[in-house]
Amino acid sequence: MSYEQEEEDHYGPGYEVGSYTKDYNDGPYDGESDLNVNSNPEGKPRILLMGLRRSGKSSIQKVVFHKMSPNETLFLESTNKIVKDEISNSSFVQFQIWDFPGQVDFFDSNFDCEMIFGGCGALVFVIDAQDDYIDALMKLNLTVTRAYKVNPNIRFEVFIHKVDGLSDDHKIEAQRDIHQRANDELMEEGFDSVNLSFYLTSIYDHSSYKKNLLQTFITDSNEALDLKLVREPSDVQNDETTFKPEMSHQIFGENESIFGYQNLKISLYYTAGKLNTYLGMSYKAEVDPKQFDGAIADDVMGAISAKLPPGYMTNLDDFVATLNKEQTFKPFGDLLSTYSINKGSAKERHFQLYSCTIEETGFRSYHERLQTFLLWYVDAASFIDVDDDRWRFYLIFEKYPCDGGHRYAICGYATVYLYFAYPNKTRPRISQFLVLPPFQRLGLGAELLNVIYRSFLKDSNILDITVEDPSDEFTRLRDFVDAQNCKKLPSFSKEKLHQGFTAEMVDEAQRDLKINKKQARRVYEILRFQATNLSDLEEYRAYRLDVKRRLNIPYQKEASDYKKLQKALNAEELRSTLSTSTKEQRIENLEKQYQTLENEYRHTLERLAASQ
């Protein structure tokens, strides 16, 4: 792994260091030194700098923080006592470094491990890569295990130092070897939960140290963003009403990170009914371009606001004031179904499902706010062209008591496009489908999908219903709902399932449930698996062969194409044109595909059993 990769993997966002130490030097500790816990009255964060003698610890400090020329470090004397160094480069970069002598003996009765390591935030251990590092690894192991026992929250950073004199291959090998040995020794002693971060370093190129410091200004955008559906003012400060995005790369890039801030928090709040929107952010510190070669912070507000429709608020008080208008909000469109959970208990909740078109008064602007949730939960999400009148919208609302009456909170929604199917039919395609995190695992997804199905069942002009690029989660939901519905059809009875997949199943599933042929076959396999006695080896084998015959169809086509090409091409042309699988490869691939399917089917059947 490269130095840069190690940084990205191990030097995470919001990194702070801190410790409380007691002086220790080459001789006995006398308790009289000014290097004691009271020498840090402001409680500045501290870093412990450790390693063997002449490993380069002091040189790193002088070059990075005191702008000493690397050549001048040749004249530095070896450290023989703890040296305190105050770092105050700016108003937000203020901490202390404690440089320990290489001959520190942790077993000396004068060495107070509790005082040294207790509360410490980071320990940097320096290893001379140009020397035999066996002794250094032993000292590293002793240091880490002692420190971790006292304070398991310490971050351990290992600088593989003086790599300027090594070839690139030697650098990589040294890093790999040190990484492997250090972690193996910790695991052997039962410290496998300790995380060590490794860096290749040199005082002749200390840009790496600035890079390390810059890492503290990198934040995981998924962790930084707080989403809320606010029903009452107290929800704003209530952490229990906060939910997180599943993804943020569609706003903040592939790495899902934000640069330029420490302790960054982004607030994206919606009123639960009207979806009036608030966007705000806070942070402890922002990167100073003067300190870091012109590096500037990402425009967080600009990146998010570009996806929000006009009218969002940046003043939290103004946002809270709009909650008074929630009592006038009513769902859009026609009520199709009601759904309740925990009936008869104090936790009883009621939901309503509606359908509407874009022509519904006020819905166009409402949908503009609603669809922004897709960016955080649906991969490759795109906003639809609502001016096309073939779109249909389905919405879920919770109807909840408030101030002696009722209000409504959005729970999720789906969009369906009515495609033309030759010669004179319509084929609805489910395009977007989302149940928001606070309302997941309540059965609302299955209810919403069934409502969509039922809205088309009586329409003889509807051929069947399809899905656009379904996610794995939606595929599992669809399998569950379709299997639950098909179980009620005569053609999917246990007796007929054992006879194989038939045209009767295709026709009945399409006619009565608007399920297409491909999905009907999948449901057949799920329900036949349920009907199969797995302890009956012949019955189980018959089921596996039935599924594998379907999975083998692409390989049969491949063999047919190969025979055709054999007649038209010579052996060399054939080899360069078509790559075919061997019989062994085909059997192996079929088995892998089958096992994947069986696992998926088992999950569906477990949910079916739990729902009964």
Side-chain angles (χ1 to χ4, degrees):
M1 183 178 290
S2 69
Y3 162 67
E4 290 81 8
Q5 287 173 318
E6 282 290 311
E7 281 193 321
E8 292 173 1
D9 290 345
H10 297 294
Y11 228 92
Y15 168 62
E16 293 184 354
V17 296
S19 66
Y20 298 91
T21 64
K22 182 176 181 180
D23 182 38
Y24 181 84
N25 58 34
D26 221 12
Y29 174 70
D30 60 11
E32 298 295 332
S33 171
D34 64 342
L35 301 181
N36 54 47
V37 77
N38 294 322
S39 64
N40 185 23
E42 297 178 5
K44 293 180 180 178
R46 298 181 183 179
I47 300 173
L48 305 185
L49 189 57
M50 295 184 169
L52 296 184
R53 296 183 66 179
R54 312 303 301 179
S55 60
K57 304 185 300 298
S58 301
S59 299
I60 290 173
Q61 279 196 76
K62 297 298 183 183
V63 171
V64 176
F65 298 111
H66 299 284
K67 303 190 182 302
M68 178 181 283
S69 166
N71 292 330
E72 292 181 79
T73 64
L74 297 173
F75 305 103
L76 289 175
E77 294 183 3
S78 180
T79 303
N80 57 21
K81 62 179 294 184
I82 297 176
V83 177
K84 179 182 73 172
D85 197 3
E86 294 275 351
I87 307 299
S88 299
N89 288 347
S90 71
S91 60
F92 60 85
V93 181
Q94 296 185 10
F95 55 93
Q96 293 182 334
I97 292 181
W98 294 84
D99 185 1
F100 281 73
Q103 62 271 30
V104 167
D105 182 3
F106 295 122
F107 293 98
D108 191 300
S109 60
N110 293 307
F111 189 90
D112 191 338
C113 287
E114 292 287 341
M115 186 64 72
I116 294 292
F117 299 125
C120 171
L123 189 156
V124 177
F125 194 94
V126 182
I127 296 178
D128 185 348
Q130 297 186 22
D131 198 3
D132 184 354
Y133 44 73
I134 299 301
D135 289 343
L137 285 171
M138 294 175 60
K139 188 60 173 285
L140 170 65
N141 180 268
L142 178 60
T143 303
V144 170
T145 54
R146 278 296 174 114
Y148 188 79
K149 287 178 180 178
V150 174
N151 179 8
N153 295 319
I154 295 180
R155 292 191 61 132
F156 297 103
E157 316 290 336
V158 181
F159 285 9
I160 304 171
H161 195 46
K162 302 182 184 179
V163 297
D164 48 277
L166 305 179
S167 66
D168 289 343
D169 288 343
H170 196 164
K171 292 177 187 177
I172 294 172
E173 178 58 27
Q175 184 178 23
R176 184 203 63 77
D177 189 40
I178 291 173
H179 184 285
Q180 185 70 42
R181 288 171 181 259
N183 282 302
D184 285 351
E185 290 177 6
L186 288 172
M187 290 185 67
E188 288 177 4
E189 296 185 29
F191 288 87
D192 49 319
S193 60
V194 176
N195 181 45
L196 301 181
S197 302
F198 298 84
Y199 307 93
L200 296 174
T201 60
S202 167
I203 59 173
Y204 292 95
D205 178 14
H206 65 277
S207 61
S208 58
Y209 303 108
K210 280 191 175 180
K211 191 177 295 184
N212 286 349
L213 190 54
L214 283 174
Q215 292 295 318
T216 67
F217 290 93
I218 297 177
T219 305
D220 182 330
S221 49
N222 292 323
E223 287 299 316
L225 179 61
D226 288 343
L227 292 155
K228 285 180 185 286
L229 286 168
V230 180
R231 300 185 180 190
E232 54 189 50
S234 61
D235 288 345
V236 171
Q237 303 300 329
N238 185 356
D239 290 340
E240 293 183 0
T241 64
T242 299
F243 54 100
K244 293 289 186 179
E246 289 183 8
M247 62 190 70
S248 55
H249 64 271
Q250 296 173 116
I251 301 294
F252 297 113
E254 192 68 27
N255 293 328
E256 297 190 321
S257 62
I258 299 169
F259 172 74
Y261 308 93
Q262 291 180 337
N263 295 353
L264 174 65
K265 284 296 179 185
I266 307 166
S267 302
L268 184 56
Y269 301 162
Y270 299 80
T271 56
K274 286 179 171 289
L275 295 182
N276 292 321
T277 310
Y278 164 76
L279 174 63
M281 63 181 284
S282 63
Y283 48 86
K284 176 182 177 181
E286 182 176 352
V287 69
D288 184 352
K290 295 179 181 178
Q291 293 283 333
F292 297 102
D293 302 323
I296 59 175
D298 291 340
D299 182 6
V300 174
M301 296 288 282
I304 298 178
S305 63
K307 300 295 184 178
L308 300 178
Y312 68 90
M313 287 160 272
T314 57
N315 183 289
L316 189 56
D317 291 335
D318 291 344
F319 170 77
V320 171
T322 66
L323 290 172
N324 293 327
K325 301 177 182 178
E326 288 290 287
Q327 60 186 345
T328 64
F329 175 75
K330 302 297 180 186
F332 298 93
D334 300 320
L335 176 63
L336 298 183
S337 177
T338 60
Y339 176 79
S340 298
I341 61 172
N342 303 321
K343 292 182 180 179
S345 73
K347 296 182 179 180
E348 184 171 351
R349 299 172 70 179
H350 303 280
F351 302 90
Q352 297 182 345
L353 292 89
Y354 292 78
S355 72
C356 70
T357 67
I358 201 64
E359 300 304 322
E360 191 79 26
T361 302
F363 182 68
R364 182 182 295 267
S365 60
Y366 186 82
H367 176 260
E368 287 180 350
R369 299 189 292 277
L370 178 60
Q371 68 181 348
T372 58
F373 284 108
L374 297 175
L375 299 170
W376 314 110
Y377 298 102
V378 178
D379 201 11
S382 59
F383 295 162
I384 62 176
D385 177 14
V386 295
D387 289 326
D388 191 327
D389 62 6
R390 296 182 71 84
W391 283 106
R392 298 294 180 268
F393 303 87
Y394 296 82
L395 302 97
I396 315 172
F397 291 93
E398 180 175 11
K399 184 179 181 181
Y400 65 95
C402 182
D403 297 334
H406 287 90
R407 293 188 183 183
Y408 296 88
I410 188 70
C411 306
Y413 83 112
T415 59
V416 177
Y417 189 81
L418 305 181
Y419 278 91
F420 170 74
Y422 183 84
N424 58 356
K425 296 284 186 180
T426 298
R427 173 174 279 141
R429 177 178 294 177
I430 299 172
S431 176
Q432 299 162 325
F433 194 101
L434 175 64
V435 176
L436 293 169
F439 306 98
Q440 292 174 2
R441 305 189 184 284
L442 300 178
L444 291 176
E447 184 65 20
L448 177 58
L449 185 55
N450 270 317
V451 164
I452 294 173
Y453 284 167
R454 291 198 295 267
S455 70
F456 294 112
L457 289 185
K458 296 180 181 180
D459 189 343
S460 60
N461 190 48
I462 301 298
L463 181 62
D464 52 34
I465 300 171
T466 61
V467 181
E468 180 180 343
D469 298 328
S471 65
D472 292 341
E473 292 80 4
F474 185 84
T475 297
R476 288 192 287 270
L477 172 66
R478 185 188 187 192
D479 287 346
F480 165 71
V481 171
D482 289 349
Q484 196 175 46
N485 291 333
C486 283
K487 283 189 70 173
K488 303 170 185 176
L489 299 178
S491 61
F492 284 83
S493 66
K494 183 176 181 179
E495 296 73 19
K496 292 189 175 182
L497 286 169
H498 284 297
Q499 296 173 14
F501 187 57
T502 63
E504 181 187 6
M505 293 176 177
V506 176
D507 293 341
E508 194 171 21
Q510 186 175 49
R511 182 186 68 248
D512 294 354
L513 299 175
K514 306 301 181 183
I515 294 176
N516 61 60
K517 180 179 180 180
K518 182 178 179 181
Q519 180 66 4
R521 168 71 198 206
R522 185 174 172 92
V523 172
Y524 152 76
E525 291 178 1
I526 292 171
L527 295 179
R528 179 169 174 180
F529 185 54
Q530 184 184 45
T532 298
N533 182 0
L534 302 185
S535 60
D536 185 328
L537 298 182
E538 284 302 313
E539 190 173 322
Y540 187 21
R541 181 174 180 273
Y543 172 76
R544 295 198 308 272
L545 289 176
D546 185 42
V547 175
K548 288 182 178 180
R549 274 192 289 270
R550 175 181 66 81
L551 296 176
N552 192 47
I553 293 174
Y555 295 103
Q556 292 177 323
K557 184 178 185 304
E558 181 183 270
S560 175
D561 291 342
Y562 186 80
K563 289 180 180 179
K564 292 177 183 178
L565 288 172
Q566 272 184 318
K567 298 177 182 179
L569 303 175
N570 59 43
E572 184 176 343
E573 291 172 329
L574 191 61
R575 281 195 298 272
S576 62
T577 302
L578 187 64
S579 176
T580 58
S581 304
T582 65
K583 181 179 179 180
E584 291 74 17
Q585 290 174 326
R586 178 172 57 83
I587 293 174
E588 182 181 354
N589 289 338
L590 281 174
E591 182 61 24
K592 287 181 179 178
Q593 288 177 279
Y594 172 80
Q595 291 299 333
T596 299
L597 278 179
E598 184 175 303
N599 286 333
E600 292 174 359
Y601 294 169
R602 284 181 186 273
H603 287 308
T604 300
L605 294 177
E606 287 172 3
R607 185 173 180 183
L608 279 172
S611 68
Q612 294 176 353

